[in-house]
Amino acid sequence: MNLIPSVNIIQSFLGSLLALLFAGLVWFIKSAYEKHKRTSLAIAKFERGYVENIAHLDQYIALIRIWIQAIENKQKYAAPPFSILSIDNESHLYLGDMRLVNLLIKTNFKQKGLNDDISSMHSFYEKNFSYFLDKKISMEQWHSSNEELLPTLKKMTKEIPEIQSSLIQQVAYLRLSGRALFHSIFNYIQVLNVNIWPRVTNKKINQETMAIKKEREFELK
């Protein structure tokens, strides 16, 4: 009985099986790495957006107080426009931590509500002021419509710090999640990509700046 064909078939089968296993391993590692990158990027985007929004909300409180004072003094509200809060409703899909995701969705909902409320109130205020200038409503009617805004504006000065508090807590959560991701196999592997020399320092930047200026001076001669 000739066993050579059978041995060749077995070897071919084992070779194909090993190739499939290797391809599967490569796919698994690549998928895990892509997920790691998406999660890291999502955490970074949320942290940056929330830190910016915390600062914007400080501005909100200051501007709303100016607005309240203007209404109480029966003056025109004249201040810079409110910044629009940055709301990311997509990146949380890549986080994986459902507790964090639920917190972010809840806070985003509050931020969107605040954006919408500020926008509609300011639009209502400006429209009525335009009517007053066009003499479509009297000064008394204009002051009366402004005073209708006061309870909501005063309520906002109490609600905004609560939103800020939520943002601060979630920035802390995001930073801890980012640190946990940093201590992973993929991040340790990336150490191989670190540039060893030369280090970028202020001294070297100044030296390069002077060299570029000299090159420009030579070219302009």
Side-chain angles (χ1 to χ4, degrees):
M1 181 177 179
N2 190 356
L3 297 177
I4 294 177
S6 299
V7 172
N8 289 339
I9 292 172
I10 292 171
Q11 289 177 340
S12 177
F13 172 76
L14 290 175
S16 299
L17 181 61
L18 287 173
L20 287 172
L21 289 174
F22 180 75
L25 179 62
V26 171
W27 175 85
F28 176 78
I29 294 173
K30 182 179 179 182
S31 297
Y33 179 65
E34 292 297 329
K35 181 181 178 182
H36 173 82
K37 286 203 305 182
R38 288 195 299 266
T39 303
S40 298
L41 180 60
I43 288 174
K45 287 178 67 178
F46 263 112
E47 182 181 340
R48 182 185 64 189
Y50 276 16
V51 168
E52 289 176 354
N53 286 355
I54 290 168
H56 289 326
L57 290 177
D58 285 333
Q59 180 205 48
Y60 273 38
I61 293 172
L63 292 179
I64 288 173
R65 285 173 177 165
I66 294 171
W67 197 350
I68 290 172
Q69 186 176 11
I71 292 174
E72 290 178 339
N73 293 336
K74 299 187 184 303
Q75 297 172 339
K76 170 72 171 69
Y77 169 69
F82 288 85
S83 303
I84 302 298
L85 299 179
S86 172
I87 301 176
D88 186 343
N89 287 317
E90 296 181 0
S91 295
H92 60 70
L93 299 173
Y94 305 112
L95 292 176
D97 185 340
M98 291 310 300
R99 180 188 171 199
L100 177 58
V101 169
N102 288 333
L103 289 171
L104 295 176
I105 290 174
K106 185 177 180 181
T107 302
N108 279 358
F109 181 78
K110 290 180 180 179
Q111 290 183 107
K112 183 181 183 304
L114 182 61
N115 268 343
D116 293 343
D117 288 345
I118 289 288
S119 178
S120 62
M121 289 174 67
H122 196 265
S123 177
F124 173 79
Y125 180 88
E126 290 294 328
K127 182 179 69 174
N128 281 337
F129 183 66
S130 176
Y131 287 164
F132 167 64
L133 292 179
D134 293 339
K135 297 183 179 180
K136 294 180 179 178
I137 60 174
S138 65
M139 180 177 290
E140 289 74 18
Q141 289 174 312
W142 180 55
H143 289 320
S144 177
S145 69
N146 293 342
E147 289 173 0
E148 291 177 8
L149 299 175
L150 277 177
T152 305
L153 290 172
K154 289 179 179 179
K155 184 180 178 184
M156 282 182 173
T157 60
K158 297 178 181 179
E159 291 176 344
I160 290 173
E162 295 176 2
I163 297 175
Q164 278 184 312
S165 179
S166 296
L167 289 171
I168 291 169
Q169 288 179 343
Q170 283 155 45
V171 167
Y173 197 149
L174 287 162
R175 286 183 179 176
L176 289 173
S177 298
R179 288 173 192 167
L181 276 177
F182 179 81
H183 296 288
S184 67
I185 293 174
F186 295 119
N187 257 17
Y188 288 143
I189 290 174
Q190 289 180 5
V191 172
L192 298 173
N193 292 326
V194 173
N195 296 324
I196 298 173
W197 187 89
R199 291 184 59 196
V200 178
T201 63
N202 288 334
K203 181 180 178 181
K204 290 178 180 177
I205 291 171
N206 291 334
Q207 289 174 347
E208 289 298 323
T209 301
M210 293 301 297
I212 293 170
K213 286 181 178 179
K214 288 180 180 179
E215 289 175 6
R216 283 178 50 79
E217 288 174 3
F218 179 78
E219 291 173 354
L220 292 173
K221 286 181 180 180

